[in-house]
């Protein structure tokens, strides 16, 4: 029995890498594109739309939802599996089998970047080659981008979601906590004075 393996509660597309979005769609020349890893933005969006109302795994599940969309839908590879869970240089989650004498079953270990919005935003800022747009430039967003919200403009990043729809230059977000399917990004921004957002085009640099 395997006691520590890459998380596989849903068949991971990361193990059967999806066809990535084209270099032209990412706004990159071929030479630059080949230097970086790739994920499927369309796959990330499709996973988020299919699973937007799934049961929460954590009391604060928004970033876990985004991580799973990137991993299962987008095929994004984990970084530093099993290494320092507090480091913002790693992004991973592993599923473990409990030994029979302890009652069996499964449990998870994960990096803080997998489940905490502020940590994931820092991780992507350090390790993704993609552009970052603000809410004022949301017309530049693409379906499959990841968005982080800062409520009231205080402290760090508080919430995360996936851009799952673009219409007339406006971005729509699917997320957990509370579960939302194609919620207007502007609705989030206007929910609390001073709120702002960063929209990440995720292009991994670690593979």
């Amino acid at each position: 029995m395997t006691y520590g393996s890459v998380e596989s509660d849903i068949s991971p597309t990361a193990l059967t890498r999806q066809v990535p979005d084209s270099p032209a769609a990412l706004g990159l020349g071929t030479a630059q594109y080949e230097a970086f890893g790739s994920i499927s933005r369309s796959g990330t969006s499709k996973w988020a739309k299919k699973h937007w109302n799934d049961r929460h795994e954590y009391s604060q599940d928004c970033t876990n939802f985004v991580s799973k969309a990137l991993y299962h839908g987008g095929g994004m590879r984990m970084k530093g599996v099993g290494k320092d869970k507090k480091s913002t240089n790693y992004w991973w989650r592993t599923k473990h089998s409990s030994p029979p004498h302890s009652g069996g079953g499964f449990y998870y270990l994960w990096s803080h970047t997998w489940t905490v919005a502020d940590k994931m935003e820092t991780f992507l800022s350090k390790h993704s080659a993609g552009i970052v747009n603000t809410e004022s430039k949301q017309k530049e967003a693409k379906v499959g981008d990841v968005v982080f919200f800062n409520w009231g403009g205080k402290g760090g990043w508080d919430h995360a979601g996936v851009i799952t729809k673009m219409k007339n230059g406006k971005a729509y977000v699917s997320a957990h906590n509370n579960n939302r399917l194609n919620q207007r990004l502007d609705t989030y921004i206007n929910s609390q004075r001073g709120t702002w957002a960063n929209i990440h085009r995720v292009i991994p640099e670690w593979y």
Side-chain angles (χ1 to χ4, degrees), residues 41-46 48-49 65-66 69-70 133-135 138-149 160-167 170-175 181-186 188 197-201:
R41 288 200 317 272
S42 61
T44 300
S45 173
K46 287 177 181 177
K49 288 189 290 186
F65 174 79
V66 171
L70 288 168
N133 290 307
T134 63
E135 72 284 350
Q138 64 180 284
K139 65 180 181 295
E140 306 295 335
K142 302 289 186 183
V143 168
D145 286 352
V146 172
V147 58
F148 296 91
F149 296 94
V162 177
I163 304 294
T164 48
K165 178 182 175 181
M166 291 294 299
K167 183 178 181 180
K170 296 294 184 180
Y172 293 73
V173 180
S174 295
L181 175 64
N182 291 335
Q183 173 72 67
R184 280 275 298 270
L185 185 145
D186 287 342
Y188 282 107
N198 272 1
I199 304 167
H200 283 249
R201 181 80 32 80

Side-chain angles (χ1 to χ4, degrees), residues 15-54:
L15 302 181
T16 56
R17 189 173 179 182
Q18 296 188 15
V19 176
D21 297 292
S22 68
L26 295 174
L28 298 174
T30 302
Q32 182 183 5
Y33 176 77
E34 290 176 347
F36 302 122
S38 61
I39 66 171
S40 170
R41 288 200 317 272
S42 61
T44 300
S45 173
K46 287 177 181 177
W47 191 97
K49 288 189 290 186
K50 181 177 180 180
H51 296 277
W52 73 275
N53 208 28
D54 283 1

Side-chain angles (χ1 to χ4, degrees), residues 3-4 14 33 44 74 77 91 96 100 104 112 116 118-119 124 151 172 201:
Y3 286 87
Y33 176 77
T44 300
R77 297 182 191 177
W91 177 78
H96 299 260
H112 290 188
V116 180
D118 195 53
K119 301 298 185 183
L124 291 178
W151 302 139
Y172 293 73
R201 181 80 32 80

Side-chain angles (χ1 to χ4, degrees), residues 7 32 35 62 85 122 127 130 150 178 189 192:
E7 181 260 337
Q32 182 183 5
C62 65
K85 64 189 301 182
T122 301
H127 299 289
N150 180 299
N178 296 320
I189 296 298
Q192 188 173 340

